[in-house]
Amino acid sequence: MKNSIIAILVAFFSISAVAQDGKSKNKKVVFKVVGNCEMCEKRIEKAAFSVKGVKSAEWHVDCQDIHLLIDETKCSKEDVAKAIASVGHDTQFVKAEDAVYEKLHGCCLYERIK
């Protein structure tokens, strides 16, 4: 009986600890990413998928945002934004370096906000 009570208490406290962590294995995230065309879409989504923990990535040219499904225990939206900026696309959180942006194909050179 004593072992059963201890087992139940251990299970309860471990469940409580997981619930308080606040990080989800499947969190939907949306943020702004600037681009122009299908080549941009492929580049942006490829960069997003390069981050461990990204389960789904869809960039929408019409509203200039990316819809992600991420495992927050492995990555954050900021990690994904950094990866996207590293291939030349400004995001809501991170601006791409000028040198990387300037290497994009001509049709991919979007209007940057200074």
Side-chain angles (χ1 to χ4, degrees):
M1 179 72 176
K2 184 177 179 181
N3 288 340
S4 298
I5 293 173
I6 291 173
I8 291 170
L9 287 174
V10 167
F12 174 76
F13 286 115
S14 63
I15 291 171
S16 297
V18 170
Q20 292 176 0
D21 186 12
K23 294 195 174 182
S24 168
K25 287 202 172 231
N26 292 313
K27 182 175 182 180
K28 292 180 182 179
V29 177
V30 178
F31 61 86
K32 294 294 181 187
V33 179
V34 188
N36 287 335
C37 63
E38 287 182 22
M39 285 192 333
C40 294
E41 177 181 18
K42 289 177 185 175
R43 186 181 310 105
I44 291 165
E45 290 176 358
K46 183 178 179 181
F49 278 117
S50 75
V51 177
K52 184 177 181 181
V54 174
K55 297 181 176 187
S56 172
E58 292 183 23
W59 180 73
H60 301 274
V61 67
D62 53 338
C63 48
Q64 299 284 296
D65 60 14
I66 190 162
H67 295 246
L68 301 167
L69 184 60
I70 63 170
D71 179 344
E72 283 188 302
T73 63
K74 295 181 181 176
C75 70
S76 67
K77 62 186 174 191
E78 289 82 6
D79 295 331
V80 180
K82 287 177 191 174
I84 293 170
S86 75
V87 298
H89 292 274
D90 293 346
T91 74
Q92 177 177 336
F93 306 109
V94 182
K95 184 177 176 185
E97 292 182 17
D98 292 338
V100 178
Y101 166 78
E102 290 165 5
K103 290 181 183 176
L104 293 176
H105 187 273
C107 73
C108 298
L109 296 175
Y110 51 88
E111 186 174 337
R112 297 183 93 181
I113 298 173
K114 301 292 179 185

